[in-house]
Amino acid sequence: MWKPNIWRTNCSLSLRSERETMQKSECSGGTQLKNRVTGNDDQRTSSGTQIKHRNAVQRSKSSLSTSSPESAGKLHPRPSDKLNPKTINPFGEQSRAPSAFAAIYSKGGIPCRLVHGSVKHRLQWECPPESLSFDPLLITLAEGLRETKHPYTFVSQEGFRELLLVKGAPEKAVPLLPRLIPVLKAALVHSDDEVFERGLNALVQLSVVVGPSLNDHLKHLLTSLSKRLMDKKFKEPITSALQKLEQRGGSGSLSIIKSKIPTYCSICC
C-alpha cells in the first residue's frame, strides 16, 4: 500500500518542477523582450537627439552667415557702391596681398595725395613735380596703371600724366624708355578693359614727350594693339592712338606700324 503513495508523491514533485521551469522560461523571455524594446527606444532617442543637434548646428551657421557684415552688405548694397563699385575698403580684410604700387602708396612712397572735390578729384603734390626725379617715380606710376581699385587707379594715371607735363620731362623720360616699355606693355595686354585704356592713353602721352625716341620700342607694343583692334569698341581709340604715334614719331614710325598692323591707314594718305 505504500508504493502508490510514493508514486503520487514523485508525480506531484515532477509536475511542480515542470511548472517552475515554465515560469522561469516565461520570466526570462519577458525580460529579454523588455530589454529589446528598451534598447530600441534608447536607439530611437539617441538618433533623434543627434538629428536635433545637427539641425540646431545648421540653423546657427546659417544665422551667423546671414548676420555677418559681409553678407549684409551683399544683400543691402550701399548707394555709394553704384558710384564707385571698385572702391577699396581700407578697414576690410583683403583676400590677397596688396600690389607693389598699393604698398608703396600706403607707405608714402608716392609724393602726392588724392584730394576729393565736389565735381572731380585732383592730386596735391608734396613738392613741385618739376623738382622730382623721374627714376623710379615715373616707372612706379606706370606700374600703377594696372590697378583696378580706387584711389590707386586715379593716382597712377593722373600722376603719370602730370609728371610728363613738367619742364624738362623729355630729358628725364627718354633714358627710362627701356624700363617703361615692358610696364606699359603689361597694361596693354591686361584682360581688364579699363586697364588697357589707361595703358593706351599713357602710351600716347609718352609719345608726345619723347617723340621719335619711342620708335625703337614700338614693335614691342604694337602686337597687343593689333589683337585689340578685332574688338569693335576699341577700333576707333586704337586707330586714333596709332595716328598720334605716327605723327609724333615721324616718317620712321609709319613703316614700323605697317609691319605689325598692315591694315593701318597713314594720316598722310
Side-chain angles (χ1 to χ4, degrees), residues 14 17 47-48 51 62 107 112-113 146 177 181 203 211 258:
S14 61
S17 62
S47 62
I51 294 173
S62 61
K107 295 178 181 178
C112 63
R113 283 294 175 267
R146 286 175 288 168
L177 286 178
I181 297 305
L203 176 60
K258 294 285 285 185

Side-chain angles (χ1 to χ4, degrees), residues 11-21:
C11 288
S12 61
L13 290 174
S14 61
L15 290 172
R16 187 182 301 173
S17 62
E18 289 178 358
R19 289 174 184 172
E20 292 177 354
T21 303

Side-chain angles (χ1 to χ4, degrees), residues 141-212:
L141 291 170
E143 291 175 346
L145 297 173
R146 286 175 288 168
E147 295 291 334
T148 57
K149 294 184 181 296
H150 185 79
Y152 310 134
T153 53
F154 180 82
V155 172
S156 60
Q157 65 178 341
E158 185 63 18
F160 189 87
R161 186 188 70 84
E162 292 185 11
L163 204 60
L164 289 176
L165 293 177
V166 302
K167 186 178 180 180
E171 293 79 8
K172 295 181 179 180
V174 169
L176 299 179
L177 286 178
R179 295 159 60 190
L180 270 175
I181 297 305
V183 178
L184 290 179
K185 182 180 179 180
L188 293 174
V189 299
H190 202 281
S191 58
D192 191 288
D193 291 344
E194 294 182 0
V195 173
F196 170 78
E197 291 175 354
R198 288 194 291 270
L200 185 63
N201 293 333
L203 176 60
V204 173
Q205 293 162 6
L206 183 64
S207 68
V208 173
V209 175
V210 301

Side-chain angles (χ1 to χ4, degrees), residues 76-87:
H76 305 287
R78 297 170 297 179
S80 59
D81 291 342
K82 297 181 180 179
L83 299 176
N84 200 344
K86 294 185 179 180
T87 300

Side-chain angles (χ1 to χ4, degrees), residues 37-139:
V37 173
T38 305
N40 292 334
D41 291 341
D42 292 340
Q43 290 178 356
R44 293 188 188 127
T45 304
S46 61
S47 62
T49 304
Q50 292 177 356
I51 294 173
K52 290 181 180 179
H53 177 70
R54 192 181 301 112
N55 293 336
V57 171
Q58 292 177 352
R59 285 195 298 269
S60 63
K61 288 182 178 179
S62 61
S63 63
L64 287 175
S65 61
T66 55
S67 61
S68 63
E70 294 180 357
S71 61
K74 292 179 180 179
L75 295 175
H76 305 287
R78 297 170 297 179
S80 59
D81 291 342
K82 297 181 180 179
L83 299 176
N84 200 344
K86 294 185 179 180
T87 300
I88 190 170
N89 180 12
F91 303 104
E93 294 183 0
Q94 303 301 317
S95 58
R96 57 182 181 180
S99 62
F101 181 84
I104 293 173
Y105 181 80
S106 301
K107 295 178 181 178
I110 310 297
C112 63
R113 283 294 175 267
L114 174 64
V115 178
H116 294 84
S118 57
V119 180
K120 63 178 182 179
H121 306 322
R122 65 181 181 88
L123 291 182
Q124 181 178 355
W125 295 88
E126 298 176 0
C127 56
E130 56 268 15
S131 64
L132 296 172
S133 174
F134 278 26
D135 188 8
L137 181 57
L138 188 64
I139 299 173

